Amino acid sequence: MLKTVEERKNDYLEFMKKVISLKTLTCEEKPMADFLIDFFEGLGIDVFRDGAGNVVAKIPGEGKGPNILLNGHMDAVHEGSLDAWKPYEPYTPTVEGDLLYGRGICDMKGGLSAQCMAMKTIKEEYIDKGNKLPGDLYFLGVVQEEPAEMFGMEYFFNHTVPEHNIKVDLVYLGEPSSNDVVVGQRGKVELVVRTYGKVAHSSAPEQGINAIQLMVPVLDRLFKHEGINLVTDEKTGVSNITVTNITASPGGNLSVIPDICEISVDRRYATSQTIDELVKEFEDMFAEIKKEIPEFKATVEPRVYTETSYTGYTTDVKKAHPAWDTGKDDPYVVKSLEALHDLGQDPAVKYWLFGTDGGCTQAEHGIPTIGYSGGEEPQAHQAKEHVSITEMNKTYEGYVAMLAKVYGIDISVFA
């Protein structure tokens, strides 16, 4: 292990314990943001909170590039049943052997902590000794990632980047990857399908058009995958589709034929597909149904929510994580793998099946994006969530080594 990491691994463990103890559900990330701001200010690293509540820290470079962004989301999902956690408490960090237990430590407070500690190491062992990085090094702690809407990242790129003249050439995501190197992900979008009928008294249903009945042929085709292109991607495997909710209105105990029926469709799709293509699948399906049922009328669109952050910022966001693919041959991926191999790590190169903010950084903004953390994907969102301390120490060391490699710093500085 690099000497600088060995010397700080207890500090890293304490950092992880601290962030576990901070209950930071989505829209409630302020305690984590405050902690991170204090952490970076204590190191003499410039840091600020943007309008959405994201935390942005910066070690300035010489303007020669590349400019690197370390990205981690500050929110974690609800702990769920406390009985399922026994004998542990979700917000009381517990070490048992090599395992550290606590809500959010896998997804993704452990990886976020490793990124912060890598920033600390570079600041203390390189910058404070009179050196400069060739490019800027940023840390970004984002809000509201867990709802799969990229709320914090969208604000960062739409507002914070232009306001602070930020340029990003490479992004590292600290999401769980079992210390493998992730170069892309399967896409995810929630589509809203609505059928439209005509209200009438339920004592005379023939006078109306029941929107629920119009939804039946849609459901039938959907579950049979008729007209749905479930691409088998050699990178992410089989794509899938399912219905997660169905409602109708007017509803309740009213004696009325509903004129609107709505279903929520969870669509996971391959890197070769786009959301527009998925929408067109349904539009083509509707055209076929209308040939059989002249009164059929339906719409489809990505789900849009109005969300508000803990700072009070409000905006509309799509419930989507677009598919992305940096590719294993990208120069930054090659350098990252070289750095990890030099440490004795042997990471696989793979793709995530779940959604991440790479849908914003790489899919929407074309920035090479790489995922890396010792958290194991099956632990995400689970009761008794935990990480291996040994593997997370490798993550911490890996981030120091990858940053050194990309920036052209002799790794002996940290050995």
Side-chain angles (χ1 to χ4, degrees):
M1 180 174 288
L2 295 173
K3 180 182 177 182
T4 54
V5 173
E6 179 70 34
E7 293 172 345
R8 292 172 174 81
K9 66 180 184 181
N10 289 334
D11 293 341
Y12 176 40
L13 178 58
E14 292 304 312
F15 193 108
M16 289 193 288
K17 288 181 178 179
K18 176 62 178 180
V19 295
I20 286 173
S21 71
L22 301 173
K23 185 174 181 177
T24 55
L25 303 179
T26 301
C27 301
E28 300 175 16
E29 300 94 342
K30 186 177 185 299
M32 180 79 151
D34 292 345
F35 169 73
L36 292 174
I37 289 172
D38 288 344
F39 171 78
F40 286 113
E41 286 181 342
L43 294 172
I45 294 175
D46 292 338
V47 62
F48 65 92
R49 187 194 323 261
D50 70 15
N54 300 317
V55 173
V56 185
K58 175 185 178 182
I59 297 177
E62 295 182 298
K64 302 175 182 177
N67 302 307
I68 302 176
L69 178 70
L70 304 176
N71 170 267
H73 61 81
M74 298 186 292
D75 59 331
V77 298
H78 193 277
E79 65 274 14
S81 168
L82 295 181
D83 286 341
W85 277 86
K86 290 181 179 179
Y88 310 107
E89 295 286 341
Y91 302 107
T92 301
T94 303
V95 174
E96 191 170 280
D98 185 50
L99 302 181
L100 172 61
Y101 289 83
R103 171 50 90 217
I105 192 58
C106 172
D107 183 14
M108 57 168 288
K109 293 182 176 182
L112 178 150
S113 299
Q115 295 176 337
C116 291
M117 289 298 297
M119 289 271 284
K120 171 183 172 72
T121 302
I122 287 174
K123 174 64 165 55
E124 294 178 340
E125 298 296 328
Y126 193 71
I127 304 301
D128 289 350
K129 293 183 179 180
N131 302 296
K132 286 190 175 182
L133 298 174
D136 299 334
L137 175 59
Y138 292 95
F139 167 82
L140 175 64
V142 298
V143 296
Q144 294 170 236
E145 187 276 344
E146 284 293 2
E149 297 157 353
M150 304 190 300
F151 179 98
M153 289 302 289
E154 294 281 359
Y155 184 93
F156 176 73
F157 279 101
N158 292 338
H159 300 277
T160 311
V161 165
E163 289 171 4
H164 294 268
N165 195 29
I166 295 172
K167 182 182 179 184
V168 180
D169 301 301
L170 169 64
V171 176
Y172 285 105
L173 300 178
E175 296 275 13
S177 72
S178 301
N179 276 334
D180 290 328
V181 170
V182 178
V183 297
Q185 76 184 35
R186 186 170 64 172
K188 180 257 176 99
V189 62
E190 181 180 330
L191 297 175
V192 183
V193 176
R194 296 185 182 94
T195 51
Y196 301 89
K198 177 185 175 184
V199 293
H201 199 288
S202 58
S203 64
E206 70 279 359
Q207 295 179 6
I209 301 175
N210 196 318
I212 296 175
Q213 187 173 359
L214 294 182
M215 187 63 76
V216 172
V218 176
L219 292 169
D220 183 57
R221 285 167 168 78
L222 195 156
F223 284 118
K224 291 178 179 178
H225 301 161
E226 291 181 5
I228 304 297
N229 187 15
L230 298 181
V231 173
T232 299
D233 190 321
E234 64 178 7
K235 300 169 181 176
T236 59
V238 178
S239 55
N240 55 43
I241 188 169
T242 191
V243 176
T244 57
N245 193 34
I246 182 167
T247 61
S249 64
N253 58 0
L254 301 174
S255 299
V256 63
I257 298 299
D259 64 346
I260 299 177
C261 182
E262 174 182 304
I263 62 172
S264 297
V265 179
D266 185 301
R267 184 71 159 94
R268 310 291 170 134
Y269 60 97
T271 56
S272 60
Q273 296 175 293
T274 67
I275 292 177
D276 287 344
E277 291 173 353
L278 308 183
V279 168
K280 190 173 186 305
E281 288 180 343
F282 278 89
E283 291 174 341
D284 291 344
M285 178 195 300
F286 299 160
E288 290 299 312
I289 296 173
K290 192 169 182 61
K291 292 177 182 178
E292 304 171 9
I293 308 173
E295 65 270 26
F296 180 83
K297 181 181 178 182
T299 60
V300 58
E301 62 185 352
R303 173 80 70 185
V304 175
Y305 287 105
T306 300
E307 296 287 2
T308 301
S309 74
Y310 74 86
T311 63
Y313 171 74
T314 300
T315 192
D316 291 338
V317 287
K318 289 182 180 179
K319 197 168 184 64
H321 272 142
W324 57 276
D325 184 8
T326 296
K328 64 180 180 180
D329 296 325
D330 179 89
Y332 291 126
V333 173
V334 172
K335 286 187 177 183
S336 297
L337 288 168
E338 288 175 351
L340 297 175
H341 288 149
D342 289 345
L343 294 175
Q345 298 186 29
D346 187 25
V349 178
K350 66 185 184 185
Y351 291 76
W352 278 315
L353 295 182
F354 54 78
T356 72
D357 277 335
C360 181
T361 60
Q362 209 285 339
E364 294 185 353
H365 294 277
I367 303 170
T369 299
I370 298 169
Y372 175 73
S373 170
E376 298 179 353
E377 295 98 314
Q379 281 299 316
H381 301 191
Q382 294 291 326
K384 302 179 185 178
E385 182 179 352
H386 61 266
V387 294
S388 160
I389 297 171
T390 297
E391 290 302 311
M392 295 313 301
N393 283 333
K394 291 180 182 178
T395 304
Y396 171 19
E397 183 181 37
Y399 270 112
V400 173
M402 289 189 294
L403 291 171
K405 177 70 74 171
V406 174
Y407 279 130
I409 302 171
D410 190 334
I411 195 64
S412 65
V413 170
F414 307 104

